[in-house]
Amino acid sequence: MTDTTDRLALPLLVAGQAQKEMHHNEAITVLDLMTQAAAEAIGTDAPPAAPLAGQCWIVGDAPTDAWLGHARAIAGWTEGGWRFVAPREGMRLWLGEAIGFALFIDGSWRAGETHGRVFVSGEQIVGPRETGIAEPVGGIVVDAEARAAVSAVLVALRAHGLIEPD
């Protein structure tokens, strides 16, 4: 039997353990940081000078000072000091309206990206990018307006990243 949980490394209580409340409180503190998780910033290497209890940061690749040895971890400030949570595949933290979510994928954090597919009423609307569509060419003069309209749609789809550029 291990002393911690498998996913978040929360301390487990064992029979006959002294000061169980310390282990229990540590587990609750980490859960409080990670439930509905949000971070102040991503890629920060130095701890802030005056953090508030409950604030979290996604540590950068070259941490210093109190964060040394915790690259890419989630650092949360508590009344008892810094707590660190190692990221797991698929972990997600809110970074605010300007950036959106940070998602931990393949050993690194990716911020401000949307991953997956978009469904509306059970129907897939947006999925993986498809191959490019060739612009229309040829035809008679009457087709010029239709070609211009199709071209405008293709330009918009490319600009939004929904199809590959030519």
Side-chain angles (χ1 to χ4, degrees), residues 71-136:
R72 294 177 295 286
I74 299 143
W77 180 253
T78 69
E79 289 182 12
W82 289 107
R83 299 293 191 275
F84 298 95
V85 176
R88 305 267 310 181
E89 186 74 12
M91 211 175 246
R92 186 171 79 156
L93 277 80
W94 178 248
L95 290 170
E97 189 175 334
I99 297 175
F101 287 100
L103 184 63
F104 192 75
I105 301 174
D106 295 329
S108 65
W109 288 99
R110 305 208 17 208
E113 300 175 0
T114 300
H115 295 266
R117 301 176 289 169
V118 176
F119 287 81
V120 175
S121 298
E123 183 178 341
Q124 182 177 339
I125 303 301
V126 177
R129 183 179 284 183
E130 297 292 330
T131 57
I133 300 170
E135 303 248 354

Side-chain angles (χ1 to χ4, degrees), residues 138-162:
I140 58 174
V141 174
V142 177
D143 290 335
E145 290 176 0
R147 283 194 305 275
V150 170
S151 291
V153 170
L154 291 172
V155 166
L157 291 172
R158 287 183 190 113
H160 289 285
L162 298 175

